[in-house]
Amino acid sequence: MPSPNRMTPKEMLERLVAFPTVSSDSNLELIEFVKTYLAEHGVSSMVIFNEDGSKANLFATIGPMVPGGVVLSGHSDVVPALEAGWTHSPWSLTERNGRLYGRGTCDMKGFDALALAAVPDMLAASLKAPIHIALSYDEEVGCKGAPSMVESMAETIATPRAVFVGEPTRMRVVNGHKGIVAFNTHVRGHAVHSSRIDTGVSAVMVAARLVTWLDDTMADNSRRPAPGTFEPPYTTLHCGVIKGGVAGNIVAESCSFITDIRAVPQENGQDFRDRFEHYARTEIEPAMKAIAPNSGIEIEDLSSVPGLASELDGDAEALALALTGANDTAVVAYATEGGIFQNAGWSTVVVGPGDIAQAHQVDEYIEVEQLAAGERFIQRLITELAR
């Protein structure tokens, strides 16, 4: 095993992949490794734990504590690797035919490895503006760790010039993505024999009316597309899971479904969620309670991730384009922690190695060439901040 004092990006990636940091489990072993690695280079870091102390964010500053630095943002968690069909161990790095296989190689330990492996070069460069490395927990389950990390960073570091969120974009500069709001709706009905449905409240049929509202609202959105290049170019409202009822001749007592709202940056997913609840409370629930006072509708919020909006003359976009040598930007359908940084008042784009098509897949991989492209990007950033 190579010494942690100096590692290539591939060697660092090998170490990071070996930590099975599935979102349902702790990431503390990885965080402790990173903290120790940084300390060996004389870099102190700040660790922000979750409420029960089982997970943590980490951020560190290399260079002077002055404004105008750049944040390199990544997350430490990965999705599970339980699917059949893996031809390599998901928790060890395997190189074959120009690809590096392992869970998280693409999403997004490849970028994490690039940032960490470059620490010795950052220290040797006599940076005039700092580089801040930020690693969060629970990005894959609703970006739950980033808000406390960004809040702590805002209180600790000088205002940065730019934030680069290193999700896989094949090193294209992404300046926009949709936000996400997800919630579970539970309908509590009143069970009777279906021959006397007039004396009962069907949770399944009420749920069907609520799901239809989602579909009708999305259809209305589609008639007024938002500016930009999103596909589709409007806010979507989707029900992906629904469960309810016990028999065909029993009025269902219970039904639950999950709603996923993907809002274009010009709109707020929470506004649609609030409209949904208003419809449920004013148009649906009164008739339910008139028959069965104990019936009703409960809404449990699951996650809320803000979108990333394109910035007019944004510093992050300009710098990222200069470092990549590209002339254009893109938007993506998936969400990132970018909107959380942007909401803190920091100019933000998404740019990182790898292809999102490889994320969350059996035999996840990142191409060696993409890792090299990311390394060149980081080295150019170091040169820029050392001027």
Side-chain angles (χ1 to χ4, degrees), residues 179-200:
I180 301 176
V181 170
F183 54 91
N184 181 71
T185 302
H186 175 67
V187 181
R188 187 175 62 257
H190 179 63
V192 296
H193 192 279
S194 62
S195 65
R196 288 306 311 272
I197 189 173
D198 59 306
T199 64

Side-chain angles (χ1 to χ4, degrees), residues 43-376:
V43 176
S44 61
S45 54
M46 181 170 289
V47 176
I48 305 100
F49 291 93
N50 65 349
E51 290 184 0
D52 65 10
S54 62
K55 300 179 182 182
N57 304 303
L58 176 149
F59 69 88
T61 297
I62 298 94
M65 192 63 77
V66 298
V70 172
V71 177
L72 300 179
S73 167
H75 60 80
S76 62
D77 60 317
V78 297
V79 297
L82 302 177
E83 315 95 324
W86 280 85
T87 59
H88 312 83
S89 168
W91 310 118
S92 62
L93 194 69
T94 302
E95 183 173 1
R96 191 180 70 190
N97 298 328
R99 298 173 176 177
L100 299 170
Y101 290 88
R103 176 56 86 216
T105 49
C106 177
D107 185 18
M108 59 177 297
K109 290 179 176 178
F111 182 80
D112 299 344
L114 289 169
L116 293 170
V119 167
D121 295 327
M122 297 174 191
L123 291 168
S126 299
L127 297 173
K128 304 298 188 300
I131 295 176
H132 311 280
I133 296 175
L135 301 178
S136 66
Y137 67 85
D138 280 2
E139 187 273 348
E140 296 288 4
V141 289
C143 297
K144 295 179 179 179
S148 63
M149 179 178 69
V150 174
E151 180 180 0
S152 183
M153 292 177 72
E155 296 172 350
T156 306
I157 69 172
T159 302
R161 170 184 177 185
V163 178
F164 296 151
V165 178
E167 294 281 3
T169 68
R170 297 197 68 82
M171 299 309 298
R172 290 200 68 187
V173 179
V174 167
N175 64 0
H177 64 66
K178 293 183 178 182
I180 301 176
V181 170
F183 54 91
N184 181 71
T185 302
H186 175 67
V187 181
R188 187 175 62 257
H190 179 63
V192 296
H193 192 279
S194 62
S195 65
R196 288 306 311 272
I197 189 173
D198 59 306
T199 64
V201 176
S202 171
V204 166
M205 296 177 74
V206 168
R209 291 184 66 187
L210 294 170
V211 172
T212 298
W213 183 92
L214 298 174
D215 198 40
D216 290 345
T217 302
M218 181 167 61
D220 182 60
N221 291 348
S222 71
R223 289 188 283 271
R224 46 178 183 80
T229 56
F230 286 100
E231 293 293 341
Y234 52 85
T235 295
T236 59
L237 297 89
H238 170 248
C239 171
V241 176
I242 188 166
K243 300 177 182 178
V246 294
N249 61 353
I250 299 176
V251 172
E253 186 174 42
S254 177
C255 187
S256 296
F257 60 94
I258 295 176
T259 299
D260 170 282
I261 299 173
R262 305 270 173 158
V264 294
Q266 296 87 350
E267 298 178 339
N268 188 339
Q270 189 66 31
D271 292 341
F272 288 93
R273 180 253 185 245
D274 293 344
R275 286 173 53 192
F276 171 85
E277 181 166 12
H278 179 76
Y279 172 75
R281 299 281 179 241
T282 61
E283 300 293 327
I284 304 297
E285 205 170 43
M288 298 170 62
K289 289 186 176 295
I291 297 173
N294 289 333
S295 64
I297 299 167
E298 300 170 359
I299 300 174
E300 176 194 7
D301 293 314
L302 301 177
S303 62
S304 180
V305 180
L308 178 71
S310 175
E311 302 168 4
L312 182 64
D313 299 323
D315 286 338
E317 179 180 319
L319 178 58
L321 288 172
L323 295 175
T324 59
N327 296 314
D328 61 350
T329 59
V331 298
V332 293
Y334 56 88
T336 77
E337 295 171 335
I340 299 171
F341 284 99
Q342 191 177 63
N343 284 355
W346 298 346
S347 181
T348 304
V349 294
V350 183
V351 56
D355 194 321
I356 194 64
Q358 304 308 325
H360 302 192
Q361 301 296 310
V362 170
D363 278 351
E364 178 181 350
Y365 68 83
I366 188 170
E367 295 155 301
V368 172
E369 183 278 326
Q370 277 291 295
L371 201 65
E375 185 176 16
R376 291 191 295 270

